[in-house]
Amino acid sequence: RRSLQFALVVLVVSGTAALALGSTAAGLVAIVVTTTQLTPQLLEVVRTPNPTGVSVATWLILAGNQAVWVAYGLLDGQPLLATNATIMGSLALVIATLTVQRTRRSATLEPQPAG
């Protein structure tokens, strides 16, 4: 319930700021919100020795999608869009990489059945 309330507050505050302050401010708000959006998953993967339930494929697809948005932002002269996509794509790659590393490490540390 607290997470939902927090998400609603972020949505209202960021939307209001974007409307009130213009497109550059909206871009900066988007960067902050994007980073905030991915932080809980990143922290969970960092803190958990064996992060089960994290889809590496999903994070890799997101990273690839963000690479396209970076290209679009640069080609269309929208540096804030490119910056936002760069941050999101980079965090997605970090989450995917940590998930793979920790899952493999956990598998090697688990006792193997006698055979």
Side-chain angles (χ1 to χ4, degrees), residues 14-91:
S14 60
T16 303
L19 290 173
L21 301 174
S23 64
T24 300
L28 294 172
V29 168
I31 291 170
V32 170
V33 171
T34 296
T35 305
T36 304
Q37 169 193 356
L38 298 180
T39 300
Q41 183 71 72
L42 178 62
L43 292 175
E44 184 66 24
V45 170
V46 167
R47 292 178 184 156
T48 306
N50 183 13
T52 57
V54 177
S55 171
V56 173
T58 298
W59 290 104
L60 292 176
I61 291 168
L62 177 63
N65 182 43
Q66 295 310 305
V68 175
W69 279 110
V70 169
Y72 176 80
L74 293 174
L75 292 170
D76 200 45
Q78 297 185 47
L80 286 176
L81 176 62
T83 301
N84 192 30
T86 300
I87 292 169
M88 193 165 187
S90 298
L91 288 173

